[in-house]
Coordinates of all heavy atoms in Angstrom, one line a residue:
M1 N 88.1 125.8 140.0 CA 88.7 124.6 139.6 C 88.0 123.5 140.3 O 87.8 123.5 141.5 CB 90.2 124.7 140.0 CG 90.9 123.4 139.8 SD 92.7 123.4 140.0 CE 93.1 124.6 141.2
Q2 N 87.8 122.4 139.6 CA 87.1 121.2 140.2 C 88.2 120.2 140.5 O 89.0 119.9 139.7 CB 86.1 120.7 139.2 CG 85.4 119.5 139.7 CD 84.4 118.9 138.8 OE1 84.2 119.4 137.6 NE2 83.7 117.8 139.1
I3 N 88.1 119.8 141.8 CA 89.1 118.8 142.3 C 88.4 117.5 142.6 O 87.4 117.5 143.4 CB 89.8 119.3 143.5 CG1 90.6 120.6 143.0 CG2 90.8 118.3 144.0 CD1 91.1 121.4 144.3
T4 N 88.8 116.4 142.2 CA 88.3 115.1 142.5 C 89.3 114.4 143.3 O 90.5 114.2 142.9 CB 87.9 114.2 141.3 OG1 87.0 115.0 140.5 CG2 87.3 112.9 141.7
I5 N 89.0 114.0 144.5 CA 89.9 113.3 145.5 C 89.5 111.9 145.7 O 88.4 111.6 146.0 CB 90.0 114.0 146.8 CG1 90.3 115.5 146.6 CG2 91.0 113.4 147.8 CD1 90.2 116.4 147.8
R6 N 90.5 111.0 145.4 CA 90.2 109.6 145.6 C 91.4 109.0 146.4 O 92.5 109.4 146.3 CB 90.1 108.8 144.3 CG 89.0 109.3 143.4 CD 88.9 108.5 142.1 NE 87.9 109.0 141.3 CZ 87.9 109.0 140.0 NH1 89.0 108.6 139.4 NH2 86.9 109.5 139.3
G7 N 91.1 107.9 147.1 CA 92.2 107.2 147.9 C 92.3 105.8 147.4 O 91.2 105.1 147.3
H8 N 93.5 105.3 147.2 CA 93.7 103.9 146.9 C 94.3 103.3 148.1 O 95.4 103.7 148.5 CB 94.7 103.9 145.7 CG 94.9 102.5 145.1 ND1 94.0 101.9 144.4 CD2 96.0 101.7 145.2 CE1 94.5 100.7 144.1 NE2 95.7 100.6 144.6
H9 N 93.6 102.4 148.7 CA 94.0 101.7 149.9 C 94.1 102.8 151.0 O 94.9 102.6 151.9 CB 95.3 101.0 149.8 CG 95.2 99.9 148.8 ND1 94.4 98.7 148.9 CD2 95.8 99.7 147.7 CE1 94.5 98.0 147.9 NE2 95.4 98.5 147.1
L10 N 93.2 103.8 151.0 CA 93.2 104.9 151.9 C 91.9 105.5 152.1 O 91.3 105.9 151.1 CB 94.3 105.9 151.6 CG 94.4 107.2 152.4 CD1 95.0 106.8 153.8 CD2 95.2 108.2 151.8
A11 N 91.4 105.7 153.2 CA 90.2 106.3 153.5 C 90.4 107.9 153.5 O 91.2 108.3 154.2 CB 89.5 105.9 154.8
I12 N 89.6 108.6 152.7 CA 89.8 110.1 152.7 C 88.9 110.6 153.7 O 87.7 110.6 153.7 CB 89.4 110.5 151.3 CG1 90.2 110.0 150.2 CG2 89.5 112.1 151.2 CD1 91.7 110.2 150.2
T13 N 89.5 111.1 154.8 CA 88.9 111.8 155.8 C 88.6 113.2 155.5 O 89.2 113.8 154.6 CB 89.7 111.7 157.2 OG1 90.9 112.5 156.9 CG2 90.0 110.3 157.5
P14 N 87.7 113.8 156.2 CA 87.3 115.3 155.9 C 88.6 116.2 156.1 O 88.7 117.2 155.4 CB 86.2 115.6 156.9 CG 85.5 114.3 157.1 CD 86.6 113.2 157.1
A15 N 89.4 115.8 157.1 CA 90.5 116.6 157.3 C 91.5 116.6 156.1 O 92.2 117.6 155.7 CB 91.3 116.2 158.6
I16 N 91.8 115.3 155.6 CA 92.7 115.2 154.4 C 92.0 115.9 153.2 O 92.8 116.6 152.5 CB 92.9 113.7 154.1 CG1 93.7 113.0 155.2 CG2 93.5 113.5 152.8 CD1 93.7 111.5 155.0
E17 N 90.8 115.8 153.0 CA 90.1 116.4 151.9 C 90.2 118.0 152.0 O 90.6 118.6 151.1 CB 88.6 116.0 151.9 CG 87.9 116.5 150.6 CD 86.5 116.1 150.5 OE1 86.2 115.1 151.3 OE2 85.8 116.6 149.7
E18 N 90.0 118.5 153.2 CA 90.1 120.0 153.4 C 91.6 120.4 153.2 O 91.8 121.5 152.6 CB 89.6 120.3 154.8 CG 89.5 121.8 155.1 CD 88.5 122.4 154.1 OE1 87.5 121.8 153.8 OE2 88.8 123.5 153.7
N19 N 92.6 119.7 153.6 CA 93.9 120.0 153.5 C 94.3 120.0 151.9 O 94.9 121.0 151.5 CB 94.8 119.0 154.2 CG 96.3 119.4 154.3 OD1 96.6 120.4 153.7 ND2 97.1 118.5 154.8
I20 N 93.9 119.1 151.3 CA 94.2 119.0 149.8 C 93.6 120.2 149.1 O 94.2 120.9 148.3 CB 93.7 117.6 149.2 CG1 94.6 116.5 149.8 CG2 93.8 117.7 147.7 CD1 94.1 115.1 149.5
K21 N 92.3 120.4 149.4 CA 91.6 121.6 148.7 C 92.2 122.9 149.0 O 92.3 123.8 148.2 CB 90.1 121.6 149.2 CG 89.3 120.5 148.4 CD 87.9 120.6 148.9 CE 87.1 119.5 148.1 NZ 85.6 119.6 148.4
S22 N 92.6 123.1 150.3 CA 93.3 124.4 150.7 C 94.7 124.6 149.9 O 95.0 125.6 149.4 CB 93.6 124.5 152.2 OG 94.5 123.6 152.6
K23 N 95.4 123.5 149.7 CA 96.7 123.5 149.0 C 96.4 123.9 147.5 O 97.1 124.6 147.0 CB 97.4 122.2 149.1 CG 97.8 121.9 150.5 CD 98.9 122.8 151.0 CE 99.2 122.3 152.5 NZ 100.2 123.2 153.1
F24 N 95.4 123.2 146.9 CA 95.1 123.5 145.5 C 94.5 124.8 145.3 O 94.7 125.5 144.3 CB 94.2 122.4 144.9 CG 95.0 121.2 144.5 CD1 95.2 120.1 145.2 CD2 95.5 121.2 143.2 CE1 95.9 119.0 144.8 CE2 96.3 120.1 142.7 CZ 96.5 119.0 143.5
N25 N 93.8 125.3 146.3 CA 93.2 126.7 146.2 C 94.4 127.8 146.2 O 94.3 128.7 145.5 CB 92.3 127.0 147.3 CG 90.9 126.4 147.0 OD1 90.5 126.1 145.9 ND2 90.1 126.1 148.1
Q26 N 95.4 127.5 147.0 CA 96.6 128.4 146.9 C 97.2 128.3 145.6 O 97.7 129.4 145.0 CB 97.5 128.0 148.1 CG 97.1 128.3 149.5 CD 98.0 127.7 150.5 OE1 99.1 127.1 150.1 NE2 97.7 127.9 151.8
F27 N 97.4 127.1 145.0 CA 98.0 127.0 143.7 C 97.2 127.7 142.6 O 97.7 128.3 141.8 CB 98.1 125.5 143.4 CG 98.5 125.2 142.0 CD1 99.9 125.4 141.7 CD2 97.7 124.7 141.1 CE1 100.3 125.2 140.3 CE2 98.1 124.5 139.8 CZ 99.4 124.7 139.4
D28 N 95.9 127.6 142.8 CA 95.0 128.2 141.8 C 95.1 129.7 141.8 O 95.1 130.3 140.7 CB 93.5 127.8 142.1 CG 92.6 128.1 140.9 OD1 93.0 128.1 139.8 OD2 91.4 128.5 141.2
K29 N 95.2 130.3 143.0 CA 95.3 131.7 143.1 C 96.6 132.2 142.5 O 96.7 133.2 141.8 CB 95.2 132.2 144.6 CG 93.9 132.0 145.2 CD 93.9 132.4 146.7 CE 92.5 132.1 147.3 NZ 92.6 132.2 148.7
R30 N 97.7 131.5 142.7 CA 99.0 131.8 142.1 C 99.1 131.6 140.6 O 99.7 132.4 139.9 CB 100.1 131.0 142.8 CG 100.3 131.4 144.2 CD 101.5 130.6 144.8 NE 101.6 130.8 146.2 CZ 102.0 129.9 147.1 NH1 102.4 128.8 146.6 NH2 102.0 130.2 148.4
S31 N 98.4 130.6 140.1 CA 98.5 130.3 138.7 C 97.8 131.4 137.9 O 98.1 131.6 136.7 CB 97.9 129.0 138.4 OG 96.6 128.9 138.7
H32 N 96.7 132.0 138.4 CA 95.9 133.0 137.6 C 96.5 134.4 137.8 O 96.1 135.3 137.1 CB 94.5 133.0 138.0 CG 93.7 131.8 137.7 ND1 93.7 131.3 136.3 CD2 93.1 130.8 138.4 CE1 93.0 130.2 136.3 NE2 92.6 129.9 137.6
K33 N 97.5 134.6 138.6 CA 98.0 135.9 138.8 C 98.7 136.5 137.6 O 98.5 137.6 137.2 CB 99.1 135.8 140.0 CG 99.5 137.2 140.5 CD 100.4 137.1 141.6 CE 99.6 136.9 143.0 NZ 100.5 136.9 144.1
G34 N 99.5 135.7 136.9 CA 100.2 136.2 135.7 C 99.5 135.7 134.4 O 100.1 135.9 133.3
S35 N 98.4 135.2 134.4 CA 97.8 134.6 133.2 C 97.2 135.8 132.3 O 96.7 136.8 132.8 CB 96.6 133.7 133.6 OG 95.5 134.3 134.1
S36 N 97.2 135.5 131.1 CA 96.7 136.5 130.1 C 95.4 136.0 129.5 O 95.2 134.7 129.4 CB 97.7 136.7 129.0 OG 98.8 137.2 129.5
N37 N 94.5 136.8 129.2 CA 93.2 136.4 128.7 C 93.2 136.2 127.1 O 92.4 135.4 126.6 CB 92.1 137.6 129.0 CG 92.0 137.7 130.4 OD1 92.2 136.8 131.2 ND2 91.5 138.9 130.8
H38 N 94.1 136.9 126.4 CA 94.0 136.8 124.9 C 95.2 136.1 124.4 O 96.3 136.5 124.7 CB 93.9 138.2 124.3 CG 92.7 139.0 124.8 ND1 91.4 138.7 124.3 CD2 92.5 139.9 125.8 CE1 90.5 139.4 124.9 NE2 91.2 140.2 125.8
V39 N 95.0 135.1 123.6 CA 96.1 134.4 122.9 C 96.0 134.5 121.4 O 94.9 134.3 120.9 CB 96.0 132.9 123.3 CG1 97.1 132.1 122.6 CG2 96.0 132.7 124.9
A40 N 97.1 134.8 120.8 CA 97.1 134.9 119.3 C 98.2 133.9 118.8 O 99.2 133.8 119.4 CB 97.6 136.3 118.8
E41 N 97.7 133.1 117.8 CA 98.7 132.1 117.2 C 98.6 132.2 115.8 O 97.6 132.6 115.2 CB 98.2 130.7 117.6 CG 98.3 130.4 119.0 CD 97.8 128.9 119.3 OE1 97.2 128.3 118.5 OE2 98.1 128.4 120.4
A42 N 99.8 131.9 115.2 CA 99.9 132.0 113.7 C 100.8 130.9 113.2 O 101.9 130.6 113.8 CB 100.3 133.4 113.2
I43 N 100.6 130.3 112.1 CA 101.4 129.4 111.3 C 101.6 129.9 109.9 O 100.6 130.2 109.2 CB 100.8 128.0 111.3 CG1 100.6 127.4 112.7 CG2 101.7 127.1 110.5 CD1 99.9 126.1 112.8
V44 N 102.8 130.1 109.6 CA 103.1 130.6 108.2 C 103.9 129.5 107.5 O 105.0 129.1 108.0 CB 103.9 131.9 108.3 CG1 104.3 132.4 106.8 CG2 103.2 133.0 109.0
R45 N 103.4 129.0 106.4 CA 104.1 127.9 105.7 C 104.7 128.6 104.4 O 104.1 129.2 103.6 CB 103.1 126.9 105.2 CG 102.6 126.1 106.4 CD 101.6 125.0 106.0 NE 101.2 124.2 107.1 CZ 100.1 124.5 107.9 NH1 99.3 125.5 107.6 NH2 99.8 123.7 108.9
L46 N 106.1 128.4 104.4 CA 106.9 128.8 103.3 C 107.6 127.6 102.7 O 107.7 126.6 103.3 CB 108.0 129.8 103.8 CG 107.4 131.1 104.4 CD1 108.6 131.9 105.0 CD2 106.8 131.9 103.3
P47 N 108.1 127.7 101.5 CA 108.8 126.5 100.9 C 110.0 126.1 101.8 O 110.9 126.8 102.1 CB 109.4 127.1 99.6 CG 108.5 128.2 99.3 CD 108.1 128.8 100.6
G48 N 109.9 124.9 102.3 CA 110.9 124.3 103.1 C 110.9 124.6 104.6 O 111.7 124.1 105.3
I49 N 110.0 125.4 105.0 CA 109.9 125.7 106.4 C 108.5 126.1 106.9 O 107.7 126.6 106.0 CB 110.9 126.9 106.7 CG1 111.1 127.0 108.2 CG2 110.4 128.2 106.1 CD1 112.3 127.9 108.6
E50 N 108.3 125.9 108.2 CA 107.0 126.3 108.7 C 107.3 127.2 110.0 O 108.0 126.7 110.8 CB 106.1 125.1 109.1 CG 104.8 125.3 109.6 CD 104.0 124.1 109.8 OE1 103.6 123.5 108.9 OE2 103.9 123.7 111.0
L51 N 106.8 128.4 110.0 CA 107.0 129.3 111.1 C 105.8 129.3 111.9 O 104.6 129.3 111.5 CB 107.2 130.7 110.6 CG 108.4 130.9 109.6 CD1 108.4 132.4 109.1 CD2 109.7 130.5 110.1
F52 N 106.0 129.2 113.3 CA 104.9 129.2 114.2 C 105.2 130.2 115.4 O 106.4 130.3 115.8 CB 104.8 127.8 114.9 CG 103.7 127.8 116.0 CD1 102.4 127.8 115.7 CD2 104.1 127.9 117.3 CE1 101.4 127.8 116.7 CE2 103.2 127.9 118.4 CZ 101.8 127.8 118.0
A53 N 104.2 131.0 115.7 CA 104.4 132.0 116.8 C 103.2 132.0 117.6 O 102.0 131.8 117.1 CB 104.7 133.3 116.2
Q54 N 103.3 132.3 118.9 CA 102.2 132.3 119.8 C 102.5 133.4 120.8 O 103.6 133.6 121.3 CB 102.0 131.0 120.6 CG 100.9 131.1 121.6 CD 100.7 129.8 122.4 OE1 101.6 128.9 122.4 NE2 99.6 129.7 123.0
A55 N 101.5 134.4 121.0 CA 101.7 135.4 122.0 C 100.5 135.6 122.9 O 99.4 135.4 122.4 CB 102.0 136.7 121.2
T56 N 100.7 135.9 124.1 CA 99.6 136.2 125.0 C 99.8 137.6 125.6 O 100.9 138.0 125.9 CB 99.6 135.1 126.1 OG1 100.8 135.2 126.8 CG2 99.3 133.7 125.5
A57 N 98.6 138.2 125.9 CA 98.6 139.5 126.6 C 97.2 139.7 127.1 O 96.3 139.0 126.9 CB 99.0 140.6 125.7
D58 N 97.1 140.8 128.0 CA 95.7 141.1 128.5 C 94.9 141.7 127.5 O 93.6 141.8 127.6 CB 96.0 142.1 129.7 CG 96.6 141.3 130.9 OD1 96.4 140.1 131.1 OD2 97.3 142.0 131.7
D59 N 95.5 142.4 126.5 CA 94.7 143.1 125.4 C 95.0 142.3 124.1 O 96.1 141.9 123.9 CB 95.2 144.5 125.3 CG 94.5 145.2 124.2 OD1 93.3 144.9 123.9 OD2 95.1 146.2 123.8
M60 N 94.0 142.1 123.2 CA 94.1 141.3 122.0 C 95.0 142.1 121.1 O 95.8 141.4 120.4 CB 92.7 141.1 121.4 CG 92.8 140.1 120.2 SD 93.4 138.5 120.8 CE 93.4 137.6 119.4
Y61 N 95.0 143.4 121.0 CA 95.8 144.2 120.1 C 97.3 144.0 120.5 O 98.1 143.9 119.7 CB 95.4 145.6 120.1 CG 94.0 145.8 119.5 CD1 92.9 146.1 120.3 CD2 93.8 145.8 118.2 CE1 91.7 146.3 119.7 CE2 92.6 145.9 117.6 CZ 91.5 146.2 118.4 OH 90.3 146.4 117.8
T62 N 97.6 144.0 121.8 CA 98.9 143.8 122.2 C 99.4 142.4 121.9 O 100.6 142.2 121.5 CB 98.9 144.0 123.8 OG1 98.4 145.2 124.1 CG2 100.5 144.0 124.2
S63 N 98.6 141.4 122.1 CA 99.0 140.0 121.7 C 99.3 139.9 120.3 O 100.2 139.2 119.8 CB 98.0 139.0 122.2 OG 96.8 139.2 121.6
I64 N 98.5 140.5 119.4 CA 98.7 140.5 117.9 C 100.0 141.2 117.6 O 100.8 140.7 116.8 CB 97.5 141.1 117.2 CG1 96.2 140.2 117.4 CG2 97.8 141.4 115.7 CD1 95.0 140.8 116.9
K65 N 100.3 142.4 118.3 CA 101.5 143.1 118.0 C 102.8 142.2 118.4 O 103.7 142.1 117.6 CB 101.6 144.4 118.8 CG 102.7 145.2 118.6 CD 102.7 146.5 119.4 CE 104.0 147.3 119.1 NZ 103.9 148.6 119.9
K66 N 102.6 141.6 119.6 CA 103.8 140.6 119.9 C 103.9 139.5 119.0 O 105.0 139.1 118.7 CB 103.4 140.1 121.3 CG 103.6 141.1 122.4 CD 103.3 140.4 123.8 CE 103.5 141.3 125.0 NZ 103.2 140.6 126.2
L67 N 102.8 138.9 118.5 CA 102.8 137.9 117.5 C 103.5 138.3 116.2 O 104.3 137.6 115.7 CB 101.4 137.5 117.2 CG 101.2 136.3 116.1 CD1 101.6 135.0 116.7 CD2 99.8 136.3 115.6
T68 N 103.1 139.5 115.7 CA 103.8 139.9 114.5 C 105.3 140.2 114.7 O 106.1 139.9 113.8 CB 103.1 141.2 113.9 OG1 103.1 142.2 114.9 CG2 101.7 140.9 113.5
E69 N 105.7 140.7 115.8 CA 107.1 140.9 116.1 C 107.8 139.6 116.1 O 108.9 139.5 115.5 CB 107.3 141.6 117.4 CG 106.8 143.1 117.3 CD 106.9 143.8 118.7 OE1 107.2 143.1 119.7 OE2 106.5 145.0 118.8
K70 N 107.2 138.6 116.7 CA 107.9 137.2 116.7 C 108.0 136.7 115.3 O 109.0 136.1 114.9 CB 107.1 136.3 117.6 CG 107.2 136.6 119.1 CD 106.4 135.5 119.9 CE 106.5 135.8 121.4 NZ 105.8 134.8 122.1
L71 N 107.0 136.8 114.5 CA 107.0 136.3 113.1 C 108.0 137.1 112.3 O 108.6 136.5 111.4 CB 105.6 136.4 112.5 CG 104.6 135.2 112.9 CD1 103.3 135.5 112.4 CD2 105.2 133.9 112.5
K72 N 108.1 138.4 112.5 CA 109.1 139.2 111.7 C 110.5 138.7 112.0 O 111.3 138.5 111.2 CB 109.0 140.6 112.1 CG 107.9 141.3 111.4 CD 107.8 142.8 111.8 CE 106.6 143.5 111.3 NZ 106.6 144.9 111.8
R73 N 110.8 138.4 113.4 CA 112.1 137.9 113.7 C 112.4 136.6 113.1 O 113.5 136.3 112.5 CB 112.3 137.8 115.2 CG 112.7 139.1 115.9 CD 112.8 139.0 117.3 NE 111.5 139.2 117.9 CZ 111.1 138.6 119.0 NH1 111.8 137.7 119.6 NH2 109.9 138.9 119.5
Q74 N 111.4 135.7 113.1 CA 111.6 134.4 112.4 C 111.8 134.5 111.0 O 112.6 133.7 110.3 CB 110.4 133.4 112.8 CG 110.3 133.0 114.2 CD 109.1 132.1 114.5 OE1 108.6 131.5 113.5 NE2 108.7 132.0 115.7
L75 N 111.1 135.4 110.3 CA 111.1 135.6 108.9 C 112.5 136.2 108.5 O 113.1 135.7 107.5 CB 110.0 136.5 108.4 CG 109.9 136.6 106.9 CD1 109.6 135.2 106.3 CD2 108.7 137.6 106.5
L76 N 113.0 137.1 109.3 CA 114.3 137.7 109.0 C 115.4 136.6 109.2 O 116.3 136.5 108.3 CB 114.6 138.8 110.0 CG 113.8 140.1 109.7 CD1 114.1 141.1 110.7 CD2 114.2 140.7 108.3
R77 N 115.2 135.7 110.2 CA 116.2 134.7 110.3 C 116.2 133.7 109.1 O 117.2 133.2 108.6 CB 115.9 133.9 111.6 CG 117.1 133.2 112.3 CD 116.8 132.7 113.6 NE 116.1 133.6 114.5 CZ 115.0 133.2 115.3 NH1 114.6 132.0 115.3 NH2 114.5 134.1 116.1
Y78 N 115.0 133.4 108.7 CA 114.8 132.6 107.5 C 115.4 133.1 106.3 O 116.1 132.5 105.5 CB 113.3 132.3 107.3 CG 112.9 131.5 106.0 CD1 113.3 130.1 105.9 CD2 112.4 132.1 104.9 CE1 113.0 129.5 104.7 CE2 112.0 131.5 103.8 CZ 112.4 130.1 103.7 OH 112.1 129.5 102.5
R79 N 115.2 134.4 106.1 CA 115.7 135.1 104.9 C 117.2 135.2 104.9 O 117.9 135.0 103.9 CB 115.1 136.5 104.8 CG 113.7 136.5 104.6 CD 113.3 137.0 103.2 NE 111.9 136.8 102.9 CZ 111.1 137.8 102.5 NH1 111.7 139.0 102.2 NH2 109.8 137.6 102.3
K80 N 117.8 135.4 106.1 CA 119.2 135.4 106.3 C 119.8 134.1 106.0 O 120.9 134.0 105.4 CB 119.6 135.8 107.7 CG 121.0 136.0 108.0 CD 121.2 136.6 109.4 CE 122.7 136.7 109.7 NZ 122.9 137.2 111.1
M81 N 119.1 133.0 106.4 CA 119.6 131.7 106.1 C 119.5 131.4 104.6 O 120.4 130.8 104.0 CB 118.7 130.7 106.8 CG 119.1 129.2 106.6 SD 118.1 128.1 107.7 CE 116.5 128.3 106.9
Q82 N 118.5 131.9 103.9 CA 118.4 131.7 102.4 C 119.6 132.5 101.7 O 120.1 132.0 100.8 CB 117.0 132.3 101.9 CG 115.9 131.4 102.4 CD 115.9 130.0 101.8 OE1 116.3 129.9 100.7 NE2 115.6 129.0 102.7
C83 N 119.9 133.7 102.2 CA 121.0 134.4 101.6 C 122.3 133.8 101.8 O 123.1 133.7 100.9 CB 121.0 135.8 102.2 SG 119.6 136.9 101.7
T84 N 122.6 133.2 102.9 CA 123.9 132.5 103.1 C 124.0 131.2 102.3 O 125.0 130.9 101.8 CB 124.1 132.1 104.6 OG1 123.0 131.3 105.0 CG2 124.2 133.4 105.5
Y85 N 122.9 130.5 102.1 CA 122.9 129.3 101.2 C 123.1 129.7 99.8 O 123.8 129.0 99.0 CB 121.6 128.5 101.4 CG 121.6 127.7 102.6 CD1 120.4 127.7 103.4 CD2 122.7 127.0 103.0 CE1 120.4 126.9 104.6 CE2 122.6 126.2 104.2 CZ 121.5 126.2 105.0 OH 121.4 125.4 106.0
S86 N 122.5 130.8 99.3 CA 122.7 131.2 98.0 C 124.1 131.7 97.7 O 124.7 131.6 96.6 CB 121.7 132.3 97.5 OG 122.0 133.5 98.3
Q87 N 124.9 132.2 98.7 CA 126.2 132.7 98.5 C 127.2 131.6 98.5 O 128.3 131.7 97.9 CB 126.6 133.7 99.6 CG 125.9 135.0 99.6 CD 126.1 135.8 100.8 OE1 126.8 135.5 101.7 NE2 125.5 137.0 100.8
V88 N 126.8 130.5 99.1 CA 127.8 129.3 99.1 C 127.9 128.6 97.8 O 128.9 128.1 97.4 CB 127.2 128.3 100.2 CG1 128.0 127.0 100.2 CG2 127.4 128.9 101.5
T89 N 126.9 128.7 96.9 CA 126.9 128.0 95.6 C 128.0 128.6 94.8 O 128.2 129.8 94.7 CB 125.6 128.2 94.9 OG1 125.3 129.5 94.7 CG2 124.5 127.4 95.6
V90 N 128.8 127.7 94.2 CA 130.0 128.1 93.3 C 129.7 127.6 91.9 O 129.4 126.4 91.7 CB 131.2 127.5 93.9 CG1 132.4 127.9 93.0 CG2 131.5 128.0 95.3
S91 N 129.9 128.5 90.9 CA 129.7 128.1 89.6 C 131.1 127.7 89.0 O 132.1 128.4 89.3 CB 129.0 129.2 88.7 OG 129.9 130.3 88.7
V92 N 131.1 126.6 88.2 CA 132.4 126.2 87.6 C 132.5 126.4 86.2 O 131.6 126.3 85.4 CB 132.6 124.7 87.9 CG1 133.9 124.1 87.4 CG2 132.6 124.4 89.4

């Protein structure tokens, strides 16, 4: 991670710079601990709705599997919503 340190009305001493870099290095180590390498994203456009899903995992196949599960849940919710709207219509 590249860090640029600037001071506004303050002289950046080597001690301040070292302190800031050590704090950000700790942050950098923690932030990469749970990160995933592979990201899968999908956008499905249907009449009247747009479904979006994103999944991350260490393995691409796992991220794709998670992605399809998310899209299936969204699609089932969409279909359920379509069924309830069609049942509401009353013919006279």
Side-chain angles (χ1 to χ4, degrees):
M1 172 172 30
Q2 183 179 357
I3 301 171
T4 304
I5 303 168
R6 295 183 184 144
H8 186 70
H9 300 293
L10 174 71
I12 302 298
T13 64
I16 292 174
E17 185 175 351
E18 189 61 37
N19 188 1
I20 292 170
K21 285 184 179 181
S22 68
K23 298 293 181 182
F24 273 94
N25 284 337
Q26 290 174 0
F27 173 73
D28 190 38
K29 289 176 187 174
R30 290 184 189 147
S31 66
H32 291 303
K33 194 176 272 186
S35 68
S36 300
N37 296 336
H38 301 282
V39 178
E41 293 181 346
I43 298 173
V44 178
R45 290 182 177 91
L46 298 172
I49 195 165
E50 183 175 286
L51 305 176
F52 174 78
Q54 179 182 15
T56 59
D58 291 332
D59 181 25
M60 191 61 180
Y61 294 106
T62 308
S63 63
I64 292 171
K65 183 178 179 182
K66 288 180 181 180
L67 176 76
T68 55
E69 290 172 359
K70 287 181 179 182
L71 282 173
K72 282 181 188 178
R73 278 184 270 145
Q74 290 182 17
L75 188 60
L76 288 174
R77 209 174 310 138
Y78 172 72
R79 297 250 172 130
K80 187 176 181 181
M81 184 176 65
Q82 292 296 323
C83 291
T84 57
Y85 283 136
S86 64
Q87 292 174 358
V88 171
T89 58
V90 177
S91 60
V92 178

